[in-house]
Amino acid sequence: MIDTKTLTQLSAHVETPQSPETAVLETVPFQRGDGPPAIVRFTCPEFTSLCPVTGQPDFAHIVIDYAPDAALVESKSLKLFMTSFRNHGAFHEDCTVMIGRRIVAATKPLWLRIGGYWYPRGGIPIDVFWQTGAPPEGAWLPDTGVAPYRGRG
């Protein structure tokens, strides 16, 4: 059984962090085992942030795939982190890459990729992709499942 005593957010009432910078990404131990690495996927189809110029909301479908090494990101802390962007003003590219880098800093995975599929404002969707390097040998990498823009579905 995993010791959860060090987790401060799981099974507790936690207010949404005021910003991504103040959000805490917690981790739990992971044992990889033999064979190809596992790929863990988080999908956030209703991600929101704010345009840093106009203050208008921006919406995205975020897909995060990573191959954990010794730590997993705890999902409630990830949800709180993702929600903290609702009051955060940044361009699509900055939000997407910031999410990926924060998860890498917290978990030190074997590999991570993130796709930010941003819904259009002004008629142009912006899709942002970032990864830490080549995928691990032997890992199964499914398609992200996000349709090319045509109403995203």
Side-chain angles (χ1 to χ4, degrees):
M1 188 132 166
I2 294 177
D3 181 10
T4 59
K5 292 180 190 131
T6 60
L7 299 175
T8 63
Q9 299 172 92
L10 187 63
S11 299
H13 175 75
V14 180
E15 297 293 327
T16 300
Q18 292 298 305
S19 71
E21 293 82 12
T22 62
V24 176
L25 280 174
E26 296 186 322
T27 63
V28 294
F30 178 69
Q31 292 185 353
R32 282 187 44 220
D34 295 331
I39 300 296
V40 177
R41 172 170 288 172
F42 291 107
T43 304
C44 184
E46 298 176 347
F47 181 84
T48 59
S49 65
L50 299 176
C51 173
V53 177
T54 66
Q56 294 295 307
D58 287 320
F59 300 90
H61 186 140
I62 305 287
V63 179
I64 303 160
D65 290 322
Y66 76 108
D69 189 12
L72 299 169
V73 66
E74 192 282 312
S75 62
K76 181 176 180 181
S77 73
L78 180 66
K79 291 172 197 170
L80 289 164
F81 171 61
M82 300 295 275
T83 303
S84 73
F85 280 85
R86 289 185 177 163
N87 296 317
H88 180 72
F91 291 112
H92 304 336
E93 298 84 351
D94 294 330
C95 288
T96 305
V97 174
M98 176 192 282
I99 293 166
R101 286 187 172 150
R102 283 288 303 275
I103 295 170
V104 167
T107 64
K108 297 174 183 43
L110 301 172
W111 173 82
L112 178 139
R113 76 175 174 189
I114 182 169
Y117 301 87
W118 293 83
Y119 291 89
R121 283 203 307 125
I124 299 175
I126 298 174
D127 296 339
V128 181
F129 306 99
W130 184 81
Q131 68 182 34
T132 58
E137 183 78 27
W140 177 56
L141 300 175
D143 182 79
T144 61
V146 180
Y149 192 76
R150 193 154 177 91
R152 291 271 192 245

